[in-house]
Amino acid sequence: MPKTPAVFLLLGLCLFGAADALYKQWIPDTNYENKTNWDKGSVPCGNDIVQFSAQRKVSVYVETVHSVQEIRLPVDGEFILPSGGGFTVSNGGDPGCGAGVTAQFKDAESLQWFDPALWQAAESSDDLEKGRFLFSVHEESVPCQYDNVVFRAGSSFRVDTTSNQPSVPVQSVSVLGKKFSSSSEFTHYLGSHSGRLQFHGTSSPSVGASGCSDTSGCDCGNSANHNRICGTVTCAPMSCKKPLYPIGHCCDVCSAIVTIQYSSGFILESYRIRLQHLFLGLPSYQSIQLGMSKVHKSQYFLGVIPRAAAAEIQIVLLDGGSGAVAEALARDILKDVQAQGSNLGITGAEFQASSGATSGDGAGDNAGVVVGAVFGILIVVVGLPLLAVLFRRGVIKMPTMPTIAIPSLSSLRRSQEEIGDFTDHGFENPIFDKPTMMPEVPGIYGTEAANSISLTPSGVHFVNPAYDENETSVDFSA
């Protein structure tokens, strides 16, 4: 039966002493009994020659007694021999070993602290033992500043702790079953022969970091090493419609991402427990990997000007497929937020999925409309007076328009007078326009005829020679 919000709140308060302080366990080892540490894929037997690279440093944990024909040791190395561990020399009389080979111990020099594939995370040391591991984005898959680092008891290792920072801060480190939470004590161990063989690199782990005091979670602190972390990751090709890129992750994923806005009453660990009990135990969601963390999302004023980043809770849901199951869970989480969000300290939620679907609980959408309207009004109220001031000061000038000469009335009149002699007569008169056509008629184009033609505002007047005796005037007014 699902637990009530009050029960989850109580569980969160009970666990808050370790809230946001997970246990991160190193996976590789340099144990003699681990067959993956040998180039032949098997542990050497009595007829074999055991060889360690002479120039490599190594700390090897030997849990039981082994018979070998010969051992070639490195210049700087050690065997850690608990009670019951050791070696015996054989003269090649091991009948179950075959003819004997030279078995080479693999090099552990390249194993890096900031490789997410080399760590396992759990909420408690008990969960580590039982294999109840947590999924996280790549930045948080390696130890965060509030985490407890565990190197398994009964094992040794070699890890390169090179970082982009002078040190690698964590809350505690457990080596060979001993937990170091004091800075001075762990520094002393790092200076020992075993410590120098197990930890190497330009940076060193440091312990004693205080626990997270924020119930909504704390920043992991690995963003400075994001490129170093992602340099160890190989991303698989995606086949979904819209792969997503979670904050703190190195690869696109086919998934769904739920973003939570919260108030002071929100408790990260209690909400993680709630989701695990309400949803991850259901048969339909058993394939889901859920990673939850506080992230700081970049914010921009008017979508351009950067401003202070806002803290949100990011929930990454992976289903190992196209993301369809993850999207279904994201929708169920939003329904739960709508029903119980106010009791959990959640003020809003939204999700995006690899199918391209997005959704919100309504509050965010309305807020976006309001904010957009406010920004629009601000642009009008502030922008117009600003343009006016800039125009008055000459910072902004009106563009120069091309000059078009418009003639005045007096110039039009002068033009009309100048072209008066070229007034259109309306049609060609062969008598006046082509005098050479009628040269046999005397006196028509003489001085007298020329003087008898007059131009008046009403038209053209001339004296017809056929009627010149009576000086009859013919008017061809247009």
Side-chain angles (χ1 to χ4, degrees), residues 407-423:
S408 62
L409 183 60
S410 59
S411 63
L412 287 175
R413 289 177 178 175
R414 287 196 301 271
S415 298
Q416 184 176 2
E417 293 174 357
E418 292 173 358
I419 65 173
D421 293 339
F422 302 98
T423 302

Side-chain angles (χ1 to χ4, degrees), residues 99-124:
V101 295
T102 298
Q104 178 79 34
F105 194 82
K106 288 183 179 180
D107 182 17
E109 201 74 12
S110 62
L111 300 180
Q112 300 179 40
W113 178 283
F114 288 103
D115 186 346
L118 303 182
W119 295 95
Q120 294 171 327
E123 291 181 346
S124 67

Side-chain angles (χ1 to χ4, degrees), residues 305-318:
I305 304 173
R307 55 192 180 100
E312 299 176 338
I313 304 301
Q314 175 181 262
I315 304 174
V316 181
L317 305 172
L318 299 181

Side-chain angles (χ1 to χ4, degrees), residues 272-293:
R272 189 201 305 273
I273 295 171
R274 176 184 180 85
L275 295 184
Q276 289 173 347
H277 283 76
L278 281 182
F279 301 114
L280 299 189
L282 299 176
S284 56
Y285 295 140
Q286 286 183 350
S287 64
I288 293 288
Q289 288 182 303
L290 183 150
M292 183 187 305
S293 57

Side-chain angles (χ1 to χ4, degrees), residues 116-133:
L118 303 182
W119 295 95
Q120 294 171 327
E123 291 181 346
S124 67
S125 57
D126 184 58
D127 286 345
L128 284 178
E129 295 294 329
K130 295 180 179 180
R132 293 196 289 258
F133 303 124

